[in-house]
């Protein structure tokens, strides 16, 4: 025994294993997701590796803690309650359904559950862009009760994605109206543009509006939508094929700004 203890803890939603001395001071930590052991000092390197031996899986990088980027410094300064990055797709709907699940037995599915399924499908599709240099934040609340369903930030720019559940229904678009099945037309495109404009104001950057249709049977456009890109949920990965606008450093800086709850309080 070398007198070191390994203590698991959670840091910004990720597990870390800290190596502590008898006096409680941390001298290293193991980041499983990054496959890296960070040594605060090199004098007890062998003891640290011995203590972490039972917990390490696969090859790891060993060295001093990396110098944080400006974007990481912003993230590290956020209180966990103000960090929106952990939001799940449909986070606001999940909370609402948890507080008020509705009747146990009803003839028709709660529309909130259909909307949730749609946001989860779109959110999962957007999250798959992470490996291509993208970040997506979900369920960003705006003052007044409005909400940006998804905000995707990547090399092609920023996109405010509004989700519409349209499973096996015909969708007719005549800007600003959107008609779903036999329902009355609604000026949905006006709201999609307004949410993107508010996001643009908050981030001081251009945010392009997107309407994502989940599972439509048919889409008919009689009056082309102004500024709004309309896509099926299965085509969202096409965003990654658009021309590059932002550098990686810009993507990280905008993501750090967007994940801060305080950013959205002034729109």
């Amino acid at each position: 025994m070398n007198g070191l203890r390994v203590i698991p803890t959670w840091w910004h939603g990720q597990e870390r294993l800290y190596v502590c001395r008898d006096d409680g001071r941390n001298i290293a930590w193991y980041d499983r997701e990054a496959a890296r052991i960070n040594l605060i000092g090199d004098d007890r390197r062998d003891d640290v590796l011995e203590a972490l031996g039972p917990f390490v899986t696969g090859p790891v990088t060993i060295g001093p803690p990396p110098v944080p980027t400006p974007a990481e410094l912003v993230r590290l300064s956020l209180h966990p309650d103000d960090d929106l990055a952990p939001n799940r797709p449909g986070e606001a709907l999940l909370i609402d359904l948890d507080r008020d699940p509705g009747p146990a037995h009803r003839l028709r599915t709660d529309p909130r559950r259909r909307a949730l399924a749609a946001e989860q499908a779109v959110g999962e599709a957007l999250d798959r862009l992470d490996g291509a240099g993208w970040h997506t934040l979900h369920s960003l609340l705006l003052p007044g009760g409005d909400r940006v369903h998804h905000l995707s930030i990547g090399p092609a720019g920023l996109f405010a994605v509004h989700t519409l559940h349209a499973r096996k229904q015909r969708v007719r678009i005549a800007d600003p109206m959107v008609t779903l099945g036999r329902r009355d037309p609604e000026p949905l495109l006006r709201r999609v543009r307004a949410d993107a404009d508010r996001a643009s104001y908050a981030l001081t950057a251009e945010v392009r509006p997107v309407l994502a249709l989940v599972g439509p049977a048919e889409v008919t456009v009689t009056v082309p939508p102004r500024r709004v890109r309309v896509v099926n949920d299965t085509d969202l990965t096409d965003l990654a094929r658009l021309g590059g606008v932002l550098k990686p450093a810009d993507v990280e800086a905008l993501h750090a700004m967007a994940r801060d709850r305080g950013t959205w309080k002034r729109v």
Side-chain angles (χ1 to χ4, degrees), residues 11 16 29 36 38 64-77 252:
W11 184 87
R16 280 187 173 181
W29 72 86
R36 180 181 176 86
N38 297 282
V67 177
T69 65
E72 288 173 329
L73 289 174
V74 172
R75 172 171 56 82
L76 290 169
S77 68
E252 295 301 325

Side-chain angles (χ1 to χ4, degrees), residues 31 88 122 143 174 251:
D31 187 334
R88 300 161 293 179
V122 168
V251 171

Side-chain angles (χ1 to χ4, degrees), residues 34-70:
R36 180 181 176 86
I37 295 175
N38 297 282
L39 300 169
I40 295 176
D42 202 48
D43 55 321
R44 301 199 62 179
R45 177 190 178 103
D46 292 339
D47 291 339
V48 168
L49 296 181
E50 179 185 352
L52 287 173
F55 305 97
V56 174
T57 56
V60 295
T61 303
I62 304 171
V67 177
T69 65

